Every structure is written in C-alpha cells, then in structure tokens.
Amino acid sequence: MRVWIVFILCLAGHAMAAPTEEEPMDEALVAEEPEAEEPVAEEPEVGANPVQIEIGEFDEAIEVVEDVVAENPCLNHHCKKGKVCEVDESNTPMCVCQDPSTCPAAEGEFEHVCGTDNKTYDTSCHFFATKCTLEGTKKGHKLHLDYIGPCKFIEPCMDTELNEFPLRMRDWLKNVLVTLYERDEDNNLLTEKQKLRVKKIYENEKRLQAGDHSLDLLAHDFEKNYNMYIFPVHWQFGQLDQHPVDGYLTHTELSPLRAPLIPMEHCTTRFFEQCDADSDKYIALEEWAACFGIKDQDIDKDLII
C-alpha cells in the first residue's frame, strides 16, 4: 500500500491531461467491440490529475504540437500521439504517421511500455508510431498500450485475490487524498470544494492511518467508517472521466490509473473487467461505485465534480 502512494505522489506534480480523441476499450478490458467507427471530437484542455502519472506516456489520444519555426504552417497544427505534422506541395499542414526509427532512444528500462500484443516497445513514442502505421487494420484496431514497463508474466488473479483488491484500493484512494490535502498549500492539487470534503476525513479521529494493514482490519474499517470512503471513490472516478465528461469511463480514460498499477497488482485487469457489469465497453459511475462497495443510495454525481 505504501508503495502505491509513494509511486503515484512522487510523480503527481507533473501529471497533466490534454485534449484527446475517444478510443474504445480493448479486449483486455472488455469483449471485442464492433468495427464501426464513432465520430471523433477534440476536447478542451483539462487540469492536472494528481493520482495519475504522465498521461503522455500511455494516453492514446494526446494532442501534441510540433516544435517548428513560426513560418511553418505546422506551428499551430495539432497531431495526435504517433503522428507528426508535415506540409504538402501547397504548403498545407497535415498529420502523417511518425517513423518509429525517428523516436528518441530509451534512457532506461523505465521508459519501456507493453502493448496488448504482449510486445515490449522501447518507449511510448515507438509504440504510438507503430500503432499509427497499423491504422485501418484489424491488428491496429485492437492494439492498445497495456501497461507501463517491459512485458512480463502477469500471474492469474484468483477469486479470493479479486475479492481482496477493492479493500486495498479503497484504502489507497483515501490515503492519497489525505496526503494531497496535507501537501496542498498553493499547489492547487485539490479544489476548495474537495479540500472541505477531505478535511472532514483528515480530522476524523477514527481514521485508519496509512500503513500496511491486514485485510481483516481493512474490511473492519470499511464497515465501521464507511462514510470516509464514499468521497474518495467518487473523486477518483471524476479525475478519470475527462474525455469527455459523460459519466462513463472508457479504456483510454481508465489507462492513467490502470496502466501503472498492472505491474504491481496482478488483479487490476480482471477487477476492471468485472466492473463493466453489463459488458458494454464502458464503466458507468454506478458500476464503478458497486465495484468498491458503495451503496446505491450513496451514489452522488455531485461528488465527482
């Protein structure tokens, strides 16, 4: 548990979300989707999500701007991850797939990423450039970034382990919020409304302090101090539901949380698969809350704002 909090918070300061194009969830999360494409709309820039690490490392739809001279039409032309801007014969900017060989070499193993094809890519740049070259093919349609780090054997998640996962996850979310509250002076990690809600948790004398606790203790604390967990569960949903804000989580929106957790928690993929109770490729707020044991009468959309 302590590893989760340190891992995320060390990187919280520079986690920024960016405009995205919606992508469907891959088969690692839900059943294979239909081939029909949905219209894509560019979304406005959003703020920082302190729970996620560099979204640019795994978000499949982040927009980037080419660093070119002012005279170049590509200066203000946006291309999604995996593409670069070039001009045609009439000097009109257009986005083309980036040649993977032009991506900077990885500076360390920490830059490697694993795709859903179970192949390790040197960097996220190499992954997205490769994915771009496969656009329009069945292989490219199914290829997504699975998790951060080199591909490795992920142990099967047993039923008993799956039941334990939300115990640790709930406690982690609560403690992340409390830690952000303690460190948030002028960093704007939390809004004023969020600070007021977390303050009530922080000042509650019955709060279970952060630490490596037994599963029995975590289960007992959730039962006795249930109200402390309602807002953290809603808050995390709101942090992920950004592209667009519609009350549903897609594969792309879930990736900032899911991708860094998989190497540390082998039940992550199965847990989120189970959350999509109706197998429609989206996790609704009601499904998300149910996964964490939040009662129907306590689900409140105002808590995710």
Side-chain angles (χ1 to χ4, degrees):
M1 185 62 59
R2 188 175 303 150
V3 173
W4 282 19
I5 296 176
V6 172
F7 175 76
I8 297 297
L9 291 178
C10 285
L11 296 163
H14 52 83
M16 296 296 296
T20 64
E21 297 170 345
E22 189 55 68
E23 293 205 17
M25 305 173 80
D26 65 22
E27 68 278 8
L29 179 60
V30 294
E32 183 175 345
E33 65 199 62
E35 293 293 329
E37 296 185 357
E38 296 182 1
V40 175
E42 185 172 346
E43 296 300 324
E45 187 170 329
V46 297
N49 177 356
V51 171
Q52 66 200 43
I53 68 170
E54 288 283 355
I55 296 181
E57 294 302 315
F58 49 84
D59 191 328
E60 300 184 18
I62 280 190
E63 304 287 343
V64 293
V65 180
E66 292 301 297
D67 184 14
V68 292
V69 295
E71 292 76 12
N72 193 322
C74 283
L75 178 63
N76 295 313
H77 191 75
H78 304 281
C79 296
K80 74 174 185 178
K81 204 76 170 177
K83 292 188 176 184
V84 293
C85 179
E86 292 184 358
V87 294
D88 60 16
E89 296 179 354
S90 61
N91 206 36
T92 301
M94 60 181 182
C95 293
V96 298
C97 291
Q98 181 176 3
D99 183 347
S101 65
T102 64
C103 291
E107 295 182 3
E109 189 174 286
F110 64 91
E111 290 192 28
H112 296 337
V113 298
C114 182
T116 50
D117 56 354
N118 200 35
K119 177 182 177 180
T120 297
Y121 295 82
D122 279 355
T123 64
S124 59
C125 175
H126 289 85
F127 170 81
F128 290 115
T130 300
K131 178 176 171 62
C132 182
T133 63
L134 296 173
E135 280 187 352
T137 67
K138 186 174 182 180
K139 183 177 180 181
H141 188 64
K142 293 182 177 181
L143 180 60
H144 298 281
L145 196 155
D146 199 12
Y147 55 87
I148 304 301
C151 294
K152 65 178 184 178
F153 173 72
I154 304 293
E155 296 180 13
C157 175
M158 301 295 101
D159 291 344
T160 54
E161 296 174 312
L162 184 63
N163 293 332
E164 297 168 355
F165 185 88
L167 295 175
R168 296 191 299 273
M169 191 73 174
R170 281 191 306 246
D171 185 63
W172 175 65
L173 291 177
K174 181 193 67 179
N175 287 312
V176 164
L177 268 176
V178 169
T179 303
L180 290 176
Y181 175 79
E182 292 174 326
R183 298 182 179 183
D184 192 1
E185 294 180 358
D186 298 318
N187 297 320
N188 297 320
L189 299 177
L190 297 172
T191 66
E192 292 303 317
K193 184 177 180 180
Q194 291 169 343
K195 289 179 185 177
L196 290 176
R197 296 186 185 280
V198 181
K199 182 179 180 180
K200 295 179 181 178
I201 300 174
Y202 177 75
E203 295 180 344
N204 194 317
E205 295 180 356
K206 297 181 180 180
R207 175 171 61 88
L208 183 65
Q209 300 295 319
D212 296 321
H213 303 296
S214 68
L215 296 174
D216 288 341
L217 180 57
L218 291 176
H220 176 77
D221 187 65
F222 179 66
E223 180 181 350
K224 296 297 182 182
N225 299 305
Y226 167 77
N227 288 332
M228 292 189 197
Y229 294 91
I230 297 175
F231 177 64
V233 170
H234 282 74
W235 171 77
Q236 179 60 91
F237 185 93
Q239 293 297 297
L240 297 171
D241 182 26
Q242 299 288 334
H243 314 303
V245 179
D246 58 1
Y248 295 91
L249 297 182
T250 63
H251 172 78
T252 298
E253 290 176 312
L254 192 59
S255 288
L257 178 65
R258 177 180 176 271
L261 282 183
I262 291 178
M264 297 184 289
E265 285 282 348
H266 67 280
C267 282
T268 301
T269 295
R270 188 178 172 191
F271 174 75
F272 289 123
E273 286 176 348
Q274 179 180 267
C275 284
D276 182 25
D278 58 5
S279 300
D280 66 348
K281 311 179 202 58
Y282 299 93
I283 298 179
L285 174 60
E286 293 76 13
E287 292 174 317
W288 175 269
C291 280
F292 289 100
I294 303 302
K295 301 172 185 176
D296 289 344
Q297 61 267 30
D298 296 317
I299 299 174
D300 185 355
K301 293 184 179 179
D302 289 338
L303 292 180
I304 66 176
I305 299 176

